[in-house]
Amino acid sequence: MQNDVDVFIIQKQTTLERYTKSKINIDFFDYLERDKQTPVPLQEAHNEHTNSRDILIKALEKYSITYKIFNLDELASNNICYYNDKCKNSGLNPKMKIVISLGGDGTLLHASHHVGGEVALLGINSCPAHSVGHMCPIVPNDIEKAICCIINKEYSTKSVRRIKLEVSRKQIVPLALNDVLLCNRHPAATSRYQLGIFSADFASEFASEKQLSSGLWVSTAAGSTAAISSYGFQKLDLLSPQILAAVREPYTPRNESLQLKQFSIDGNEKSLLFFSRMRQGLVCVDGPDSCAYLGFGDTVKMSLPKECALNLVLDFFGKVPLFPIDNG
């Protein structure tokens, strides 16, 4: 989407909005009662988020900054495409080269799929009492200060590496800021595949192994504190070029040892190739909402090109207090 406004805002839908105001065939309040919960915390979280949104909009309008605001469902319904480093007009491209994520880390991950190139992403944790926001340095009380810094260009970004996926049959998936899960579509079925380590340009193969498991996690440095951390990996510096990989529940019927069970590679020098030996495989990018299907012989190339990095706003030169963030 091109530069018809100064900034774009991508906001989350609160749990209250998602399950009580959408057309879902469920009595959510009945569920809460049976689960011995009350709607009070959900209402409080909803109110905190909407209050943050009001503060942001008021600040933008105070300084005559034009904006458009989307929730995650509206990104899809408005056919806003993923950012693609090979397509000049892909993703969001506002005049001020800033996209604002209003929510927590989950919202920021979804927003990142539509941001790249010269455009930077700023995360605002709209509900710090209820949301995880490792990469969202701004809290509601400091929103106006952050907007002033953006106007005056008093901020800096960090170039955070993302995994680029090239999937068979020209299926389109976004760049992965956090992680990728490759597995069988059915959670009770075995994931069958061949995993290879290649040079960054896929011209040379260094190692390859057929595996049976519950799937494969592949993570960036930004995702090192997420699912893959349960395999014993240490938190990486946010700017690290490492790619982490871990096999979920490996199955070795003859008690053989897997050579590529858990490892890291330098994304500047190496890449990964996943060869599906499944009829119904699945690749999920940054969670369950961005997926592609795999069949027999389908491949997924995973690399870490510098040109696919995300410019993440994480510093305002001391002019804005920063919420404790996971930046290394």
Side-chain angles (χ1 to χ4, degrees), residues 155-328:
Y155 66 91
S156 64
T157 63
K158 289 191 175 183
S159 184
V160 182
R161 304 288 284 275
R162 295 186 284 188
I163 296 173
K164 180 177 182 177
L165 298 97
E166 298 174 77
V167 185
S168 290
R169 294 181 278 120
K170 298 182 179 180
Q171 296 183 80
I172 298 173
V173 293
L175 299 170
L177 177 58
N178 240 27
D179 50 34
V180 180
L181 175 62
L182 305 106
C183 58
N184 196 292
R185 279 187 240 177
H186 197 294
T190 301
S191 298
R192 302 169 183 269
Y193 54 90
Q194 183 161 325
L195 176 62
I197 300 176
F198 284 74
S199 58
D201 60 1
F202 294 96
S204 302
E205 180 179 315
F206 299 114
S208 182
E209 184 173 60
K210 290 181 178 179
Q211 297 182 343
L212 304 175
S213 72
S214 292
L216 177 73
W217 281 112
V218 180
S219 172
T220 64
S224 64
T225 57
I228 209 161
S229 66
S230 64
Y231 294 88
F233 287 102
Q234 299 298 307
K235 181 179 72 173
L236 295 176
D237 183 275
L238 196 59
L239 305 185
S240 170
Q242 294 294 302
I243 298 175
L244 309 178
V247 178
R248 294 200 312 174
E249 300 173 330
Y251 175 54
T252 54
R254 298 174 181 81
N255 295 318
E256 64 272 30
S257 60
L258 294 182
Q259 300 303 307
L260 302 179
K261 180 179 177 181
Q262 185 175 312
F263 60 92
S264 66
I265 59 173
D266 185 342
N268 289 328
E269 300 176 356
K270 296 179 181 179
S271 57
L272 297 177
L273 178 65
F274 182 94
F275 179 89
S276 170
R277 300 173 61 235
M278 298 172 282
R279 181 172 61 89
Q280 293 185 314
L282 187 68
V283 52
C284 303
V285 179
D286 288 336
D289 297 321
S290 300
C291 303
Y293 295 126
L294 304 174
F296 290 124
D298 282 339
T299 59
V300 182
K301 293 180 177 180
M302 291 171 280
S303 58
L304 206 72
K306 293 180 180 179
E307 58 269 24
C308 292
L310 173 71
N311 292 318
L312 198 58
V313 180
L314 291 175
D315 184 31
F316 291 92
F317 306 133
K319 295 181 180 294
V320 182
L322 299 181
F323 191 70
I325 55 173
D326 188 16
N327 62 3

